[in-house]
Amino acid sequence: MDQAEPVRTPASWVVVGLDNGGTCNNATVLDATGQYLVDHLVENPSLVTEGPELAVEQLAEAFTNILELTSTPPTLVRAVGLDTPGPASATGVISSKGATNFSMKSWHGFDIRGALEARIGLPVFYNNDANAAALYAHHQHFGADAMRRSSVAAIVGTGLGGGVVDNGRVISGAAGMAGELGHVQIPLHGVLEADQPVPLCNCGFEGDVESIASLTGIKNNLLPYWLTKFPDHPLAAEPIGSAAKQLRGYGEKEDPLALAVFGQQARAIGKLFTIAANFTDPHAYLLGGGIVEAAPRFRQWVLNTIRESTQLRDEQQAAATFALVADLDMAGARGAAVAALEGVQQRRSTDGR
């Protein structure tokens, strides 16, 4: 576990948020007043590559450790929020075909939410990691107005995740796969060059957002094309995977090749947000991922390009905002906690308590 920093002990009942990743779990505690009891990453190894039994035990350990760190008596905990990478069902059952982090056959069709609930003896509310991050981004952006606002968030990383939030609650869909924004196919006019091949996604789709706006899209599709236009570029001598990871640094220096690549990514996200505008008409369009950690001038250029590439009606422009996702490294655990808090409050309201 990370070293403890000063924390505030809870004054009321709480929920715990657990963000399960390929390497680490991240944990947080949120009290009934909406205050987080830690303001930093608190991690332990996730051990997901060693199978469900050990991984669930590590989640239980993360739960116990965060309570000790925050001096929270277990009797104050009303529920736990859990997020994992997908694909998984709305109730936390890993896809029958497995997933990137859950490739072992023992994970296929495994009910991770139910297993954790049985292990710790508390209600567990589940979201996929991108939806959890989107939910936290929404609440962080709108604050007290969160339950009266809507948003769409695109989280750009190795792939492209995201989420749709309406009236403060994430939309999960019938099978738990709503908000899979990366696999929305977009019009490519105005995004690609005339001689540029249609990009392919690892999911098998052509021309979806992830095939362009992701690190994988850079490595597989965009950078190989643009290096033919800039054959003397220093990145041409690098292995393509390494070159893709270095590209953001060149973008921060306003390198023409890098700006061409990131400009295409921004325009692709603008096309996605244009589609969202006509489906959900959100109050906010939120952008997360590695770009949040980039140099301020460069990340603002990316956000501005996305805004300029999103076609909104005058009324929508007056009502909507564009913003970056804050606290990205803690967004999953915090979003999972928000979902658990909302779940408890909804149950208490239903029960009349």
Side-chain angles (χ1 to χ4, degrees):
M1 299 289 289
D2 287 356
Q3 292 297 310
E5 295 181 12
V7 296
R8 182 177 63 79
T9 55
S12 59
W13 62 268
V14 304
V15 296
V16 171
L18 298 176
D19 171 42
N20 170 259
T23 304
C24 293
N25 298 315
N26 178 30
T28 194
V29 180
L30 177 65
D31 74 14
T33 69
Q35 298 297 310
Y36 296 97
L37 304 193
V38 290
D39 60 2
H40 58 285
L41 277 173
V42 181
E43 298 180 311
N44 75 325
S46 64
L47 302 186
V48 293
T49 58
E50 299 186 32
E53 185 175 344
L54 274 175
V56 170
E57 198 59 36
Q58 288 299 104
L59 284 167
E61 180 181 289
F63 171 78
T64 300
N65 289 345
I66 197 66
L67 296 186
E68 292 177 355
L69 177 64
T70 55
S71 302
T72 303
T75 53
L76 291 185
V77 184
R78 295 291 183 268
V80 171
L82 171 67
D83 78 73
T84 76
S89 75
T91 57
V93 178
I94 304 301
S95 169
S96 59
K97 295 183 178 179
T100 301
N101 284 4
F102 307 110
S103 56
M104 293 175 61
K105 284 194 175 181
S106 55
W107 278 113
H108 296 191
F110 182 78
D111 180 4
I112 190 170
R113 186 207 63 81
L116 180 61
E117 188 170 88
R119 172 64 179 79
I120 63 177
L122 286 165
V124 175
F125 295 87
Y126 178 82
N127 280 285
N128 73 44
D129 55 356
N131 281 354
L135 183 62
Y136 172 68
H138 176 91
H139 281 260
Q140 185 72 2
H141 182 74
F142 287 112
D145 286 334
M147 301 307 291
R148 297 184 293 274
R149 296 290 184 267
S150 60
S151 66
V152 172
I155 313 295
V156 186
T158 304
L160 187 139
V164 179
V165 178
D166 185 57
N167 290 326
R169 292 188 170 88
V170 69
I171 296 175
S172 58
M177 297 180 183
E180 289 288 348
L181 304 183
H183 304 301
V184 173
Q185 291 171 296
I186 57 171
L188 298 177
H189 176 73
V191 176
L192 302 182
E193 298 293 303
D195 63 340
Q196 193 168 359
V198 174
L200 300 177
C201 182
N202 286 345
C203 76
F205 282 178
E206 292 185 343
D208 65 10
V209 189
E210 185 173 300
S211 69
I212 300 170
S214 67
L215 180 62
T216 303
I218 290 176
K219 178 173 68 77
N220 291 349
N221 300 310
L222 304 190
L223 193 52
Y225 169 78
W226 283 103
L227 284 173
T228 66
K229 306 298 181 182
F230 294 85
D232 298 325
H233 196 280
L235 290 180
E238 298 281 341
I240 194 66
S242 174
K245 292 178 181 178
Q246 295 178 51
L247 193 65
R248 192 179 79 194
Y250 282 89
E252 293 173 329
K253 298 173 184 175
E254 300 184 5
D255 174 81
L257 179 150
L259 294 183
V261 171
F262 288 111
Q264 289 192 318
Q265 290 199 325
R267 293 194 296 276
I269 295 171
K271 295 283 189 181
L272 170 69
F273 283 168
T274 300
I275 293 171
N278 290 285
F279 266 96
T280 67
D281 188 24
H283 292 93
Y285 301 86
L286 305 174
L287 175 68
I291 193 64
V292 176
E293 302 166 359
R297 180 172 176 174
F298 175 61
R299 71 188 183 203
Q300 190 61 50
W301 173 81
V302 172
L303 190 63
N304 289 345
T305 304
I306 291 172
R307 182 189 292 112
E308 293 163 3
S309 303
T310 303
Q311 296 179 328
L312 301 179
R313 295 174 177 84
D314 291 344
E315 297 87 345
Q316 293 174 313
Q317 288 179 347
T321 59
F322 289 74
L324 298 171
V325 174
D327 305 320
L328 189 66
D329 54 355
M330 296 185 288
R334 288 188 166 191
V338 168
L341 183 65
E342 291 177 353
V344 171
Q345 291 171 334
Q346 190 170 13
R347 286 184 179 181
R348 289 165 68 93
S349 175
T350 301
D351 294 343
R353 291 183 287 135

Coordinates of all heavy atoms in Angstrom, one line a residue, residues 186-194 196 212 260 263-271 305 309 311:
I186 N -17.7 6.5 -37.2 CA -17.9 7.9 -37.5 C -17.7 8.2 -39.0 O -17.0 7.5 -39.7 CB -17.0 8.8 -36.7 CG1 -15.5 8.4 -37.0 CG2 -17.3 8.7 -35.2 CD1 -14.5 9.3 -36.4
P187 N -18.3 9.3 -39.5 CA -18.0 9.8 -40.9 C -16.6 10.2 -40.9 O -16.1 10.9 -40.0 CB -18.9 11.0 -41.1 CG -20.0 10.9 -40.0 CD -19.3 10.2 -38.8
L188 N -15.9 9.7 -41.9 CA -14.4 10.0 -42.0 C -14.1 11.2 -42.9 O -12.9 11.6 -42.9 CB -13.7 8.7 -42.6 CG -13.8 7.5 -41.7 CD1 -13.1 6.3 -42.3 CD2 -13.3 7.8 -40.3
H189 N -15.1 11.8 -43.5 CA -14.9 13.0 -44.3 C -14.5 14.1 -43.4 O -15.1 14.4 -42.4 CB -16.1 13.4 -45.1 CG -16.0 14.6 -45.9 ND1 -15.3 14.7 -47.0 CD2 -16.5 15.9 -45.6 CE1 -15.3 15.9 -47.5 NE2 -16.1 16.7 -46.6
G190 N -13.4 14.8 -43.7 CA -12.9 15.8 -42.9 C -11.9 15.4 -41.8 O -11.4 16.2 -41.1
V191 N -11.8 14.1 -41.7 CA -10.9 13.5 -40.7 C -9.6 13.0 -41.4 O -8.5 13.3 -41.0 CB -11.5 12.4 -39.9 CG1 -10.5 11.7 -38.9 CG2 -12.7 12.9 -39.1
L192 N -9.8 12.1 -42.4 CA -8.6 11.5 -43.1 C -8.2 12.3 -44.3 O -9.0 13.1 -44.9 CB -9.0 10.1 -43.5 CG -9.4 9.1 -42.4 CD1 -9.7 7.7 -43.0 CD2 -8.4 9.0 -41.3
E193 N -7.0 12.1 -44.7 CA -6.5 12.7 -45.9 C -7.0 11.9 -47.1 O -7.5 10.7 -46.9 CB -4.9 12.6 -46.0 CG -4.3 13.4 -44.9 CD -4.5 14.9 -45.1 OE1 -4.1 15.4 -46.2 OE2 -5.1 15.6 -44.2
A194 N -7.0 12.4 -48.3 CA -7.6 11.8 -49.5 C -7.0 10.4 -49.8 O -7.7 9.5 -50.2 CB -7.5 12.7 -50.7
Q196 N -5.4 8.5 -47.5 CA -5.2 7.7 -46.3 C -6.1 6.5 -46.2 O -7.3 6.6 -46.4 CB -5.4 8.7 -45.1 CG -4.9 8.1 -43.8 CD -4.9 9.2 -42.7 OE1 -5.3 10.4 -42.9 NE2 -4.5 8.8 -41.5
I212 N -8.8 5.6 -34.5 CA -8.1 6.8 -34.7 C -7.7 7.5 -33.4 O -6.5 7.8 -33.2 CB -9.0 7.8 -35.5 CG1 -9.4 7.2 -36.9 CG2 -8.3 9.2 -35.7 CD1 -10.5 8.0 -37.6
A260 N -0.3 16.8 -37.0 CA -1.2 16.2 -38.0 C -1.9 15.0 -37.4 O -3.1 14.8 -37.6 CB -0.3 15.8 -39.2
G263 N -4.3 16.2 -34.6 CA -5.4 16.9 -35.2 C -6.4 16.0 -35.7 O -7.6 16.2 -35.6
Q264 N -6.0 14.8 -36.3 CA -6.9 13.8 -36.8 C -7.7 13.2 -35.6 O -8.9 13.0 -35.7 CB -6.2 12.8 -37.6 CG -5.7 13.3 -38.9 CD -5.3 12.1 -39.9 OE1 -4.6 11.2 -39.5 NE2 -5.7 12.2 -41.1
Q265 N -7.0 12.9 -34.5 CA -7.6 12.4 -33.4 C -8.7 13.3 -32.8 O -9.8 12.9 -32.5 CB -6.6 12.1 -32.3 CG -5.7 10.9 -32.6 CD -5.0 10.4 -31.3 OE1 -4.7 11.1 -30.4 NE2 -4.8 9.1 -31.3
A266 N -8.4 14.6 -32.7 CA -9.3 15.6 -32.2 C -10.5 15.7 -33.1 O -11.7 15.8 -32.6 CB -8.6 17.0 -32.1
R267 N -10.3 15.7 -34.4 CA -11.4 15.8 -35.4 C -12.3 14.6 -35.3 O -13.6 14.7 -35.4 CB -10.9 16.0 -36.8 CG -10.3 17.4 -37.0 CD -10.1 17.8 -38.4 NE -9.2 16.9 -39.1 CZ -7.9 17.0 -39.2 NH1 -7.3 17.9 -38.4 NH2 -7.1 16.1 -39.9
A268 N -11.7 13.4 -35.0 CA -12.5 12.2 -34.9 C -13.4 12.3 -33.6 O -14.6 11.9 -33.6 CB -11.6 11.0 -34.8
I269 N -12.8 12.8 -32.5 CA -13.6 12.9 -31.3 C -14.7 14.0 -31.5 O -15.8 13.8 -31.0 CB -12.7 13.3 -30.1 CG1 -11.8 12.1 -29.8 CG2 -13.5 13.6 -28.9 CD1 -10.7 12.5 -28.8
G270 N -14.4 15.0 -32.3 CA -15.4 16.0 -32.7 C -16.6 15.3 -33.4 O -17.7 15.7 -33.2
K271 N -16.3 14.4 -34.3 CA -17.3 13.7 -35.0 C -18.2 12.9 -34.0 O -19.4 12.8 -34.1 CB -16.7 12.8 -36.1 CG -16.0 13.5 -37.2 CD -17.0 14.1 -38.2 CE -16.2 14.6 -39.5 NZ -17.1 15.2 -40.5
T305 N -9.5 22.1 -30.7 CA -9.8 21.5 -32.0 C -11.0 20.6 -31.9 O -11.8 20.5 -32.9 CB -8.5 20.7 -32.4 OG1 -7.4 21.6 -32.4 CG2 -8.7 20.1 -33.8
S309 N -14.5 21.0 -34.0 CA -14.9 20.0 -34.9 C -16.2 19.3 -34.5 O -16.7 18.5 -35.2 CB -13.8 18.9 -34.9 OG -12.5 19.4 -35.3
Q311 N -20.0 19.8 -34.3 CA -21.0 20.6 -35.0 C -22.3 20.7 -34.1 O -23.0 19.7 -33.9 CB -21.4 20.0 -36.3 CG -20.2 20.1 -37.3 CD -20.6 19.5 -38.7 OE1 -21.4 18.6 -38.8 NE2 -20.0 20.0 -39.7

